[in-house]
Amino acid sequence: MASATEVLVPDIGGFKDVSVIEILVKDGQQIDKETPLITIETDKAAMDVPAPAAGRITEVKLKQGDKVSEGSVILLLERAGAGAAAAGAAGEPAAEPAATSATVVADAPAAASAPAPKAAAPPTAPPSAPAATPPTPPRAAAPGVSLDQAFSKAYASPSVRKFARELGADLGRITGTGTKGRITPEDVKAHVKGILTASPPASAAPEGAGAGLPKLPVVDFAQYGEIEIKPLSRIQKISGSRLQASWVNLPHVTQHDDADITDLEAMRAALKNKASDQGVKLTPLAFILKACILALQAFPRFNSSLDASGENLVVKRYINLGFAADTPNGLVVPVIANADRLDIYEIARALAALSEKARAGKLKATEMQGGTFTISSLGGIGGTAFTPIINAPEVAILGVSKSSQKPVYERGAFLPRLMLPLSLSYDHRVIDGAEAARFVVYLAKTLGDVKALL
Ligand code: CAO
């Protein structure tokens, strides 16, 4: 029977008292030449020490956490197919340094000569991530470094490398959360899980959906003072993601102008009693909606949407006017269908009825669908101008602010006129700036033309 020989730690590039982080074999185990025996870790790298020969391990002399240097005894090995003589002298190193080195750093590109530890990326990640931390985002390989190289240079033990290879995970894209940024098995699992549960790639998302945008910083506000957590309402969540989708996908430009509504307000005051006899409250907004209908008829491009290909304009022959309504549960946009077929009283009635339903949370889904153009009026509240966000896939939205008396120079004198601020945001892919300016000028002129609105 063959006697056991000591297998020693080979030349490891002059490193001393290196930690044994993993014992990869056990007593009695049959091994082949090159079977990894232990994993050792220096400040900069982890590496396997392979078996110098095949055989049976009679005793492993190390345990995890031990410190080793060149010449430390790893284990006792009965060499296969050879007597004691063939096993070589006691104290024979695990293998010739060069050969061992090549195996030790098999993953590293510069493995040819010395057992140079794999270069590890400087530890950029915090030593450990809290349990609730989502999978770390993929780390791109540095410029000029191929993914294969990035895999090789990743700071991970050989067993983790093996695990990553089995799963097809690219270590070069994983940020380690272990000591000094070392990639742990959990990091590999979290990375793979992240990929499996990730949303479809940007190319599959509609219009990009803002994919690839830099993330906002996550701040622990509690560290600066007392806070209260209030969940967003369902409506706020829905409208929030739609507003964001519009904001990031549509190139918004806002055109501002003032409409002289002095005569309009005089007429509205004159019609108030007649309207209330019919159970209708004639607010400025009803006239603004009517003026928008006329402007959309004159400029049908503003009543259109881009088709899914982004190469054609779908011009709608119907006019369904949406209007933003402020409700206790958040912003909703009821739609007055076929508004172009309604007179000013009918518009005012529809406006009041839908506003009431909106505030009561009783709008049907169909009453918020099919809009072709939207008006957002903050005139009842205040302000001089704002930038409304287009209600995509519509291509324009009119923002209305509070009217106020302003001095207007007319016929050689300044006259007090009631001016209504208009802010038209438009999708610049569909509408040119000059066209938008013409639309707003037309709208302002129409609001000043009382007869046109009745
Ligand atoms: N300038 C001056 N006064 C105005 C005005 C304007 N542009 N628009 C309305 N007003 C006056 C009205 O005349 C009314 O006054 P009286 O009661 O004295 O007649 C008062 O302001 C309140 O009007 P209203 O808001 O009740 O009615 P409305 O038809 O103008 O608007 C609605 C209805 C549903 C649009 C409105 O209530 C609303 O919710 N506005 C907010 C929209 C919003 O949130 N937009 C932002 C969207 S993006 O976050």
Side-chain angles (χ1 to χ4, degrees):
M1 185 180 151
S3 64
T5 56
E6 289 179 333
V7 173
L8 309 181
V9 173
D11 175 4
I12 49 173
F15 285 97
K16 296 215 181 329
D17 295 329
V18 174
S19 294
V20 176
I21 59 166
E22 230 173 323
I23 307 287
L24 304 167
V25 288
K26 55 181 190 272
D27 292 357
Q29 185 179 335
Q30 289 288 346
I31 55 168
D32 296 324
K33 190 176 180 196
E34 305 295 339
T35 297
L37 304 175
I38 55 171
T39 304
I40 55 176
E41 185 182 58
T42 69
D43 279 351
K44 296 202 172 80
M47 62 187 90
D48 280 351
V49 176
R56 192 180 74 87
I57 295 168
T58 55
E59 188 184 353
V60 177
K61 292 282 193 187
L62 295 173
K63 59 184 186 314
Q64 201 173 320
D66 281 351
K67 303 277 185 202
V68 295
S69 307
E70 181 181 355
S72 302
V73 179
I74 301 172
L75 50 78
L76 301 180
L77 180 73
E78 276 176 2
R79 289 197 175 195
E92 180 187 358
E96 315 79 58
T100 308
S101 311
T103 310
V104 168
V105 290
D107 287 323
S113 59
K118 298 179 284 292
T124 49
S128 64
T133 303
T136 46
R139 179 165 53 84
V145 177
S146 75
L147 288 179
D148 271 358
Q149 283 175 312
F151 190 107
S152 301
K153 290 188 173 181
Y155 185 29
S157 75
S159 59
V160 169
R161 290 171 180 285
K162 184 167 172 279
F163 181 49
R165 282 212 164 90
E166 281 167 4
L167 296 179
D170 184 351
L171 284 179
R173 292 184 178 277
I174 301 175
T175 301
T177 60
T179 313
K180 295 174 186 161
R182 197 159 67 95
I183 299 171
T184 65
E186 283 64 40
D187 294 333
V188 177
K189 283 184 214 163
H191 175 75
V192 172
K193 197 171 166 193
I195 289 171
L196 292 176
T197 55
S199 33
S203 56
E207 301 221 13
L213 289 176
K215 294 264 179 271
L216 295 171
V218 178
V219 177
D220 174 14
F221 301 105
Q223 67 182 306
Y224 304 113
E226 197 183 334
I227 59 165
E228 185 190 350
I229 308 289
K230 287 191 158 196
L232 292 179
S233 70
R234 198 180 64 84
I235 289 177
Q236 283 171 326
K237 284 188 210 160
I238 295 169
S239 61
S241 68
R242 289 198 184 147
L243 289 165
Q244 188 184 12
S246 173
W247 188 250
V248 298
N249 284 304
L250 275 54
H252 281 67
V253 180
T254 306
Q255 174 74 17
H256 301 279
D257 207 342
D258 281 348
D260 184 338
I261 57 164
T262 314
D263 297 344
L264 171 61
E265 273 301 279
M267 183 187 67
R268 192 173 73 88
L271 290 174
K272 239 181 178 176
N273 289 342
K274 186 183 165 196
S276 68
D277 287 348
Q278 297 183 25
V280 178
K281 187 185 175 194
L282 268 187
T283 64
L285 189 55
F287 292 93
I288 296 164
L289 292 178
K290 179 72 184 175
C292 283
I293 292 165
L294 298 174
L296 291 170
Q297 286 168 334
F299 297 84
R301 210 176 171 82
F302 289 77
N303 198 53
S304 72
S305 291
L306 275 173
D307 74 2
S309 73
E311 292 181 4
N312 304 295
L313 212 52
V314 181
V315 181
K316 296 148 208 168
R317 300 275 182 235
Y318 51 90
I319 295 178
N320 293 343
L321 287 187
F323 65 93
D326 181 29
T327 80
N329 290 323
L331 171 72
V332 290
V333 182
V335 173
I336 302 176
N338 299 308
D340 51 330
R341 297 187 199 159
L342 307 180
D343 66 23
I344 191 74
Y345 298 101
E346 289 167 329
I347 291 173
R349 196 172 283 117
L351 189 59
L354 287 168
S355 301
E356 185 52 41
K357 272 182 140 181
R359 281 191 274 268
K362 291 190 175 155
L363 281 175
K364 293 187 205 131
T366 50
E367 289 169 321
M368 293 182 278
Q369 291 167 354
T372 59
F373 182 88
T374 299
I375 293 114
S376 176
S377 171
L378 294 173
I381 302 170
T384 55
F386 65 105
T387 307
I389 297 179
I390 300 163
N391 192 12
E394 295 167 20
V395 295
I397 181 169
L398 180 73
V400 180
S401 299
K402 191 176 177 65
S403 58
S404 62
Q405 293 286 347
K406 283 186 181 171
V408 175
Y409 194 74
E410 268 179 25
R411 294 185 293 276
F414 280 103
L415 302 170
R417 306 293 293 177
L418 187 62
M419 305 303 286
L420 177 73
L422 306 173
S423 305
L424 179 87
S425 291
Y426 58 92
D427 182 344
H428 210 341
R429 296 173 304 174
V430 176
I431 293 159
D432 294 334
E435 210 179 356
R438 278 187 209 107
F439 181 94
V440 180
V441 166
Y442 182 95
L443 186 64
K445 192 166 151 278
T446 305
L447 283 164
D449 181 0
V450 178
K451 285 191 210 106
L453 296 172
L454 287 175

